[in-house]
Each structure stands twice: as structure tokens, then as C-alpha cells.
Amino acid sequence: MNASTAPTTSPGDAPVTEYDVIVAGGGPAGATLATLVARQGHRVLLLEKEEFPRYQIGESLLPATVHGIAALLGVADEIRDAGFTVKRGGTFRWGTAPEPWTFTFDESPELAGPAPYAYQVERMRFDQILLDNARRHGVEVRERHAALDVLREEPGGRVCGLRYADADGRARQARARYVVDASGHRSRLHQHTGGRRVYSEFFQNLALFGYFTGGHRLPAPHTGNILCAAFDDGWFWYIPLTADLTSVGAVVRRDAAHAVQGAPDRALRRLIDRCPLVRSYLAGAERVTEGPYGRVRVRKDYSYCDTAFWTPGLVLVGDAACFVDPVFSSGVHLATYSGLLAARSVNSVLAGTVGQERAFAEFEARYRREYGLFYAFLAAFYDMHRDRDSYFWEARKVARCGASELEAFVALVGGVASGEPSLAHPTAVGAQVTRTSRALLRATAPDVPDAHRVAHAPDSDDMLLSTWEQGVALERGTAPGAHFGEAAPLLPGGLLATPDGVHWTEP
């Protein structure tokens, strides 16, 4: 259902090209959505105000992104071959425990299997991979093009396009069925949903961060873990990007803002001196002072959520819609996941299979739920008077799952607590379906004891299971092992993800 490619004329006689979708922003959220929509044959224009590669913070990824979303996008192998630092879990000096404690992703059944890891990435390289992938799938990418304002069918009417400045600063217009705001926390477009941005009263923090060479590493096999260390005024992240390059940032409470006064580089050094663990890891290290990593940056007021994520013709994804404190590295996960959810809605409406209100209500409900999981758990995690097991218990309560406390914690911080098959490694999903299927088969033949099965028919379960899975695959129209769809709605009365993972369907 492509829009016309013939240009119309603007009031100033500049050509106005018609698209199905216009995406403002070429980061992970925008590139994810653009790729998944363009692959359905729709005409997609992506406008990025900067020229890639460009610097960006948010370097610690979750398994849900590097295996689940990457598999849908078709870039899992490229990301694997890029040589990024492997992240097998996280290490925390947090709460009442005097010594650091560590979790690994393989402690969650949803993440165990062939790929219980994520990556620490240089965002300049990672984001370039996603944007180039969008180009390969037919997205018209224009860098150094800045979104300025939306177009409406009439004052107060449906959003129908975008006004933007091209690489030479000239004003241009383009029309589309949908405009996607993926332009980040500095978005100019988010207020056009009719909502407002509400900043968190709890996470009133600011971050001060820079880059160092020569820093120490955790002992193997946790060398690539993110290290988070609490101290009196907040907490530090310590992310090993390469064997020699480390991203170091201090997240400081608003009531301790005096600690970051003065020159940012000197303020960061003072904060490092107040955190013994990070100070010891940076003993002998030098701060990078040249190139894209060469200055200390400050960001404040970064925990927020908009009251409306969409309006007819316009949808917000990634940081344009919401962001939460980065202690669990949820930024890129929320960005790519929201891109996937919005792509399902756009694809379904353009295909005429689901109505607009229903499709985008599902997008917003799922995105708010995922954001809410992290927000609710982080609010409890910031209580430093708890021990590790208490945090695990809180994760199980927030996620409302039947797993153990540790499994719930790892699933949540790994980005798979929602239970969406599209967020887990395809093989891990297949294994999970296999376990469920085997239990179902046993339940249908309760009179046959396990010992009898093993002694007299060791292959019978596998044969039955294979037949059952092939039948399910035929019903879904997929090859056995392709489990991107859902068996039941994630939310009461909600929609299902289709087997290809990029559309909605009614239950």
C-alpha cells in the first residue's frame, strides 16, 4: 500500500514528495522501525539531523536487543562479527553487601542457551550498522536533514507530513500517512501528540561522564560486565568498551548537584575520588582528551514519560516518548522495542488488517508496560538499605512471574520480562516452546510413567513433539523453529504479534 511517488507542490512551489512513512531520527528506534516497515514494501523516508557516524551515549546493551530485535532486523550476524565486547551479565557494588556481587544472563531460562550474553558497544559503530541495514532494505535515508515541524491536513487535524531543513538549510516538506518521531530527548515534535512531558519526581538525577584508557577489568569470565558502584552521592557506571577504552559516568542526585559544579572534567575526577571501587579501577588510567570521546559531558532531567505516545498520523518511539535512569542499561532496549511495536502498528494499519485506534493502543499499552517494569523496579533498587536477595524478590514482585527471584531479576534486567517471543534469541524461544510442548504432551498421557518412557520408548516424546511443532508451524505459516508470534495476548483484551513478528492480529 505505497503512497504515490509523484511530488505535489507546496505553497512556495517546492516539490512535496509523498511517502507511506516519514521517520525523524536515525538512531536505534528510528532505524528499527524504518527497516521493519520498508521490508513490507512501504515507502519510507528517514531524516537524520547529524551525519553518521556520530557520538551517542547508551553503550551497554541487553540480550533482548542483540539477539531478539537483531534477529528480526537481520543484523545479528553483523553485530556478532563487529568485535564488540561480550557482556555476560553485570556486577554491582550496591545495597548493604560490602563486596560486589554478580549476575549472569544464563541464570534466566529465557536467556539460557546458545547466546546468554549481550555486548558493550561503541554507539558510533552500532548505530551505523542499524542505519546501513535500513538503507539496504529500501529506506531513503537523508543525513544532515533536521525535522522542524509537522504538517496537518487542517489546523488541529491529522498529522500528514513533516517540514524539515535539508543539508543546505533550505526548508522542505514531505507528506506521509504516518510520521514517526524518533528524534530523542530533544525532540521538537513530541508535543504534537497533544500530551505533555512529565519528569520523574523520584529520579531527579544528573549524569557526568567521560572516557578513559588503561582502566582495570573485572576477573574473567566477567571481564566484559558492566560494573555499577554506589557511593554517597549516587552511583557510577564503568563500561569496558574495548580492551583499553572505558566509559565512566557518575549519576548524582539532584540534592548533591554541588558535587558537579565547576569544570566538568575536574568535577568528574572529584567524584571518582569519592568512590573507592571506581577509583581503584582507574588507578593509572588516563582520560581521553581528543576526538569524539575527548570531553566530559553532562546530562540532566533525563527520566520522563510523555502522557500521549501517539495521535492520528504521529507516533513517538524511543527517547522521544520516555526515558528512565540508566542503571540497568534499558535505553537502547526501550528504543528498539518501541520501534518494533510501532512498526507492527504501522504495518497493520497500512495493510488494512487492524484499525488505527486498536493498533496504536496496543503499541502504547505494551510500551508503557515495559517502561513501567523498569521504572517500578528501579524505584525499589535505589533503596540502598536492602541486600541482594531483597532486590531479587522485588524483581519477582514487579515482573509478576512464576520464576524464582533470581530468574525474575535476570529476565527483567535482560529485557525479556514481558514474555514476548520476539525479544529472545530464536533458539532460546524454540527451547522454551519445546519445554512447554513436552509438558503438554506428558499432560495428555498421564498414565505413562517417565521411567517407562525412558526405558521402553526413549524417542517417543521427541517424535511426538516434532510432529506437534511441525503442525503448529504449518498453522502459523512458518518453518519449524520460527517462533516470533504469540499464542495469547500479552495484555487482557489485546492483540497478538503475528508469526513474522512485524504485524498485529486479533486473537
Side-chain angles (χ1 to χ4, degrees):
M1 184 178 174
N2 288 351
S4 170
T5 60
T8 59
T9 304
S10 69
D13 292 329
V16 180
T17 310
E18 301 277 347
Y19 295 87
D20 293 309
V21 177
I22 302 172
V23 181
T32 295
L33 180 139
T35 300
L36 297 178
V37 172
R39 277 204 325 216
Q40 302 303 304
H42 304 303
R43 192 170 188 212
V44 181
L45 171 65
L46 187 151
L47 305 174
E48 166 55 47
K49 68 178 181 180
E50 298 186 55
E51 185 173 8
F52 279 40
R54 55 87 175 96
Y55 171 83
Q56 186 59 270
I57 193 63
E59 300 130 332
S60 192
L61 304 188
L62 304 186
T65 298
V66 301
H67 301 302
I69 301 294
L72 276 171
L73 293 174
V75 294
D77 290 345
E78 187 174 357
I79 292 172
R80 180 199 62 205
D81 295 340
F84 294 126
T85 297
V86 173
K87 167 187 171 182
R88 302 189 184 280
T91 299
F92 288 83
R93 167 57 187 92
W94 203 275
T96 58
E99 299 298 328
W101 50 272
T102 295
F103 76 89
T104 56
F105 291 125
D106 61 7
E107 292 170 304
S108 166
E110 289 83 1
L111 297 173
Y117 57 84
Y119 297 109
Q120 317 285 17
V121 301
E122 294 181 79
R123 287 286 302 276
M124 289 184 291
R125 297 171 56 209
F126 176 78
D127 290 9
Q128 186 78 64
I129 289 173
L130 298 190
L131 190 63
D132 288 345
N133 184 60
R135 285 191 176 96
R136 288 195 297 269
H137 284 93
V139 177
E140 183 179 337
V141 177
R142 300 183 189 175
E143 298 179 58
R144 297 171 57 211
H145 283 60
L148 301 176
D149 204 354
V150 300
L151 303 177
R152 292 187 180 272
E153 292 178 345
E154 58 185 47
R158 177 189 175 92
V159 173
C160 62
L162 202 62
R163 186 169 62 85
Y164 63 94
D166 66 16
D168 296 319
R170 293 173 296 193
R172 302 293 188 192
Q173 294 182 6
R175 297 176 65 87
R177 289 283 303 279
Y178 284 99
V179 172
V180 178
D181 182 9
S183 57
H185 70 286
R186 295 179 178 174
S187 163
R188 295 184 177 187
L189 308 178
H190 71 94
Q191 70 269 18
H192 291 291
T193 61
R196 60 190 180 89
R197 180 162 292 177
V198 179
Y199 289 88
S200 171
E201 295 183 2
F202 185 85
F203 297 109
Q204 294 187 346
N205 301 330
L206 55 87
L208 190 69
F209 49 96
Y211 296 81
F212 293 78
T213 57
H216 293 281
R217 294 289 180 260
L218 288 161
H222 308 305
T223 304
N225 280 14
I226 184 173
L227 171 64
C228 296
F231 71 114
D232 289 344
D233 293 324
W235 63 275
F236 266 94
W237 75 68
Y238 189 95
I239 302 174
L241 296 179
T242 70
D244 192 52
L245 180 66
T246 307
S247 172
V248 180
V251 176
V252 180
R253 300 187 310 272
R254 179 63 62 87
D255 59 12
H258 61 276
V260 298
Q261 292 178 352
D265 56 339
R266 289 197 292 270
L268 180 59
R269 175 51 65 183
R270 288 196 302 269
L271 291 169
I272 291 170
D273 288 340
R274 299 180 66 173
C275 183
L277 183 58
V278 172
R279 184 178 67 234
S280 68
Y281 269 66
L282 289 177
E286 295 183 0
R287 189 176 68 81
V288 178
T289 56
E290 297 180 349
Y293 299 129
R295 67 184 181 90
V296 174
R297 293 173 166 88
V298 180
R299 186 172 171 187
K300 60 182 179 179
D301 292 331
Y302 53 73
S303 291
Y304 56 84
C305 186
D306 278 45
T307 59
F309 286 1
W310 75 280
T311 193
L314 175 66
V315 58
L316 312 181
V317 295
D319 293 0
C322 56
F323 189 80
V324 70
D325 189 275
V327 68
F328 288 125
S329 310
S330 59
V332 175
H333 164 63
L334 290 172
T336 55
Y337 181 46
S338 66
L340 166 62
L341 296 176
R344 289 175 181 167
S345 298
V346 170
N347 287 337
S348 300
V349 175
L350 292 182
T353 56
V354 180
Q356 175 179 261
E357 290 284 341
R358 186 120 165 85
F360 285 98
E362 185 75 17
F363 150 75
E364 181 159 348
R366 291 201 187 204
Y367 192 17
R368 286 192 184 279
R369 180 181 185 273
E370 191 74 1
Y371 175 85
L373 283 175
F374 281 94
Y375 189 99
F377 181 57
L378 279 166
F381 197 70
Y382 259 75
D383 182 353
M384 296 297 176
H385 301 291
R386 297 186 176 200
D387 60 19
R388 181 192 62 178
D389 291 342
S390 175
Y391 296 134
F392 294 169
W393 177 86
E394 191 68 36
R396 187 172 184 268
K397 184 178 74 171
V398 168
R400 298 180 181 179
C401 65
S404 71
E405 286 83 356
L406 173 59
E407 291 170 350
F409 173 84
V410 177
L412 198 156
V413 302
V416 297
S418 68
E420 282 217 27
S422 297
L423 296 181
H425 190 282
T427 307
V429 173
Q432 189 175 8
V433 171
T434 297
R435 289 192 296 271
T436 303
S437 306
R438 192 179 302 279
L440 180 62
L441 286 168
R442 291 184 186 279
T444 61
D447 296 332
V448 182
D450 286 349
H452 181 79
R453 294 173 187 268
V454 174
H456 300 284
D459 297 324
S460 61
D461 278 0
D462 292 333
M463 292 170 61
L464 286 169
L465 180 60
S466 176
T467 302
W468 185 86
E469 287 183 324
Q470 289 177 26
V472 171
L474 287 173
E475 290 180 6
R476 291 182 171 187
T478 63
H483 298 291
F484 288 121
E486 296 172 330
L490 184 65
L491 302 171
L495 298 170
L496 295 172
T498 52
D500 63 6
V502 295
H503 292 82
W504 298 122
T505 187
E506 293 288 350

